[in-house]
């Protein structure tokens, strides 16, 4: 529950704009979506759009950041005991399997690498705030390397129709880990 009613309205407006963006991306290419269309689909006025965002890409960036934050929460909840690359990969693909419709909107609109860039930056920023200083920069860069690799593995998964299960993708991760030595 949001304590500040204004904050609640702000979040609701952003959610309406994100949902409108997703709806429009199902109907037409992202590059053809206008602010007017976004506002009409969301049932909001342009002034409300500009209160939160400057351009349609800002809506996508906000949406991706929210998804990344959600992943970080899931990761922290379920990646506690068995901290292996296999387990992280299974968790990663399970997370995306549940959100495949949204992921496919980015993929089909040639925004997959934009998506991965914002997703990785958000995770990086979150990690900077969560990891103790003694872990150092190398530990943080290791996480970036892992998530970069997972994004590439996910791209391959999407290219092949997203047919493999999270467990199968975890098995691929094991093979990759063994090859890397």
């Amino acid at each position: 529950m949001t304590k500040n009613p204004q904050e609640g309205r702000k979040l609701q407006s952003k959610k309406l704009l994100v949902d409108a963006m997703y709806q429009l991306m199902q109907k037409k290419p992202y590059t053809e979506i206008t602010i007017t269309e976004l506002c009409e689909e969301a049932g909001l006025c342009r002034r409300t759009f500009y209160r939160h965002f400057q351009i349609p890409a800002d809506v996508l960036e906000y949406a991706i950041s929210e998804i990344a934050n959600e992943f970080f929460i899931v990761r922290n909840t379920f990646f506690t005991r068995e901290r292996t690359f296999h387990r992280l990969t299974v968790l990663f693909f399970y997370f995306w399997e549940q959100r495949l419709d949204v992921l496919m909107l980015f993929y089909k609109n040639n925004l997959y690498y934009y998506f991965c860039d914002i997703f990785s930056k958000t995770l990086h920023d979150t990690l900077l705030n969560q990891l103790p200083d003694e872990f150092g920069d190398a530990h943080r860069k290791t996480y970036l390397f892992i998530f970069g690799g997972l994004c590439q593995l996910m791209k391959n998964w999407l290219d092949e129709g997203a047919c493999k299960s999270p467990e199968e993708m975890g098995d691929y991760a094991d093979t990759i880990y063994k090859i890397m030595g």
Side-chain angles (χ1 to χ4, degrees):
M1 186 167 128
T2 306
K3 293 179 183 177
N4 180 346
Q6 246 183 341
E7 188 64 26
R9 281 192 299 273
K10 178 181 177 181
L11 291 174
Q12 180 63 22
S13 294
K14 287 181 173 185
K15 182 183 180 335
L16 288 169
L17 288 164
V18 167
D19 291 346
M21 178 66 81
Y22 291 161
Q23 291 296 318
L24 290 169
M25 286 173 69
Q26 290 176 8
K27 300 173 191 172
K28 63 193 298 186
Y30 163 75
T31 55
E32 295 177 13
I33 296 172
T34 66
I35 292 171
T36 299
E37 290 172 315
L38 264 175
C39 293
E40 287 173 2
E41 186 76 26
L44 300 171
C45 65
R46 288 174 64 93
R47 181 175 52 223
T48 301
F49 176 89
Y50 287 114
R51 194 173 294 136
H52 306 297
F53 305 109
Q54 293 179 6
I55 57 175
D58 294 342
V59 176
L60 291 181
E61 188 170 333
Y62 171 78
I64 297 165
S65 294
E66 289 297 300
I67 293 168
N69 288 327
E70 186 181 344
F71 175 76
F72 200 77
I73 291 168
V74 168
R75 177 207 167 270
N76 285 347
T77 303
F78 296 103
F79 191 62
T80 54
R81 292 179 319 195
E82 183 191 344
R83 296 176 67 93
T84 65
F85 189 45
H86 180 273
R87 175 95 170 112
L88 178 62
T89 303
V90 170
L91 181 66
F92 184 80
F93 280 93
Y94 178 76
F95 179 86
W96 287 113
E97 188 177 61
Q98 304 304 308
R99 293 153 187 83
L100 188 57
D101 55 339
V102 170
L103 187 59
M104 289 304 293
L105 290 175
F106 288 92
Y107 180 78
K108 289 180 178 178
N109 278 276
N110 297 314
L111 295 168
Y112 181 76
Y113 289 111
Y114 173 75
F115 174 88
C116 286
D117 184 50
I118 301 301
F119 186 82
S120 294
K121 284 179 185 173
T122 303
L123 287 177
H124 179 260
D125 292 346
T126 304
L127 282 171
L128 285 177
N129 293 328
Q130 301 245 335
L131 290 177
D133 289 339
E134 62 265 17
F135 279 146
D137 196 46
H139 198 83
R140 289 177 181 89
K141 289 197 180 352
T142 300
Y143 271 98
L144 286 176
F145 178 79
I146 290 169
F147 283 113
L150 288 173
C151 281
Q152 281 303 118
L153 194 56
M154 186 164 60
K155 169 79 168 65
N156 182 258
W157 179 65
L158 293 170
D159 289 343
E160 294 178 351
C163 297
K164 303 284 186 209
S165 72
E167 275 299 326
E168 289 173 301
M169 299 309 292
D171 292 343
Y172 283 132
D174 285 345
T175 301
I176 292 166
Y177 188 77
K178 287 173 187 169
I179 290 170
M180 291 176 57

